[in-house]
Amino acid sequence: MEKSRKEEIQSYFRELDRSFFMDIHKEAAHLDEAVPIGYEQTISQPSLVLEMTLVLDLQKDSSVLEIGTGSGFQTALLAEFSKTVYTVERIKELHTRAKERLQKAGFQNIHFKLDDGSMGWKEKAPFDRIMVTAAVSELPKELVDQLGPGGKMVIPIGSTLVQKLKLIEKNDKGKLTTTTLNYVRFVPLIGKYE
């Protein structure tokens, strides 16, 4: 029997070596919790990375924008199950290391940008899916504008202490529907929406 898309993602996720994406605290790679990766950033809790990926409902032809490359762990999962990933990171060291790691892993469908993620990547829009891995105080208009018709965005919105993980869906007429999925705690997205 053929595996479902969800099963394919879960299976790949289980095989993905989290320690490969870590330079420090590798001994904590097996734990289901966020772990510091330096520069006041973290590699997200694995179960949350999987949940966010599944909710995004990636398709083989999806063009995906990721805000916050970080270690590249989430990026690898997105790239494996979509056509193209455009990923933006504002910290040069993380940007460089993630790029080296992901290219070493053989990914050829990832485009990297060193920039303020809150502005998205306008030149490559519209996107079918947008994954935001840092918290914002309000929904960034720039990202909503770059989400294509029928698109989905997963984003943590709230204060620095706790955020609501939200699924934003845009229909063919541009109308937004928002669903709260969970309560989470992400590092803030530095820039216009912190």
Side-chain angles (χ1 to χ4, degrees):
M1 194 175 106
E2 200 176 316
K3 274 186 181 176
S4 71
R5 188 81 170 153
K6 182 179 178 181
E7 287 168 335
E8 281 178 18
I9 292 172
Q10 288 170 327
S11 175
Y12 179 79
F13 176 79
R14 281 192 294 270
E15 291 163 19
L16 197 57
D17 179 8
R18 191 178 180 219
S19 69
F20 174 73
F21 299 91
M22 300 165 74
D23 295 313
I24 54 173
H25 306 300
K26 281 181 180 276
E27 72 285 354
H30 67 286
L31 301 173
D32 189 30
E33 57 188 52
V35 177
I37 56 171
Y39 312 98
E40 297 180 4
Q41 302 298 302
T42 58
I43 184 169
S44 296
Q45 180 181 347
S47 59
L48 185 58
V49 169
L50 179 60
E51 178 192 347
M52 288 171 70
T53 305
L54 291 172
V55 165
L56 214 50
D57 186 29
L58 298 168
Q59 303 300 315
K60 288 186 175 116
D61 61 350
S62 291
S63 170
V64 182
L65 173 65
E66 179 189 38
I67 304 302
T69 315
S71 65
F73 181 56
Q74 175 76 75
T75 321
L77 202 54
L78 295 173
E80 183 68 21
F81 294 96
S82 50
K83 185 177 180 182
T84 320
V85 174
Y86 297 92
T87 184
V88 185
E89 174 57 58
R90 69 176 180 86
I91 298 169
K92 189 176 183 187
E93 292 82 359
L94 295 179
H95 163 83
T96 304
R97 284 186 197 155
K99 189 173 182 176
E100 286 168 359
R101 263 189 212 115
L102 291 160
Q103 287 175 343
K104 186 178 175 184
F107 288 102
Q108 296 180 341
N109 62 335
I110 304 172
H111 303 273
F112 300 86
K113 185 177 187 184
L114 181 64
D115 206 355
D116 171 5
S118 61
M119 297 292 107
W121 196 331
K122 197 174 180 182
E123 308 80 62
K124 303 295 182 183
F127 300 99
D128 304 305
R129 304 287 185 266
I130 299 179
M131 170 75 79
V132 183
T133 62
V136 293
S137 57
E138 60 183 282
L139 185 61
K141 181 183 185 305
E142 290 80 0
L143 299 184
V144 171
D145 290 347
Q146 291 173 34
L147 187 64
K152 296 183 183 195
M153 173 174 16
V154 174
I155 184 168
I157 304 176
S159 70
T160 50
L161 295 176
V162 67
Q163 304 98 35
K164 290 179 179 177
L165 185 63
K166 297 199 175 264
L167 170 65
I168 313 293
E169 297 177 89
K170 186 187 271 192
N171 72 12
D172 293 339
K173 292 192 171 95
K175 184 177 183 290
L176 298 181
T177 306
T178 303
T179 309
T180 298
L181 305 169
N182 211 332
Y183 286 89
V184 292
R185 190 171 178 183
F186 278 86
V187 295
L189 179 66
I190 305 297
K192 187 175 174 181
Y193 292 91
E194 60 188 284

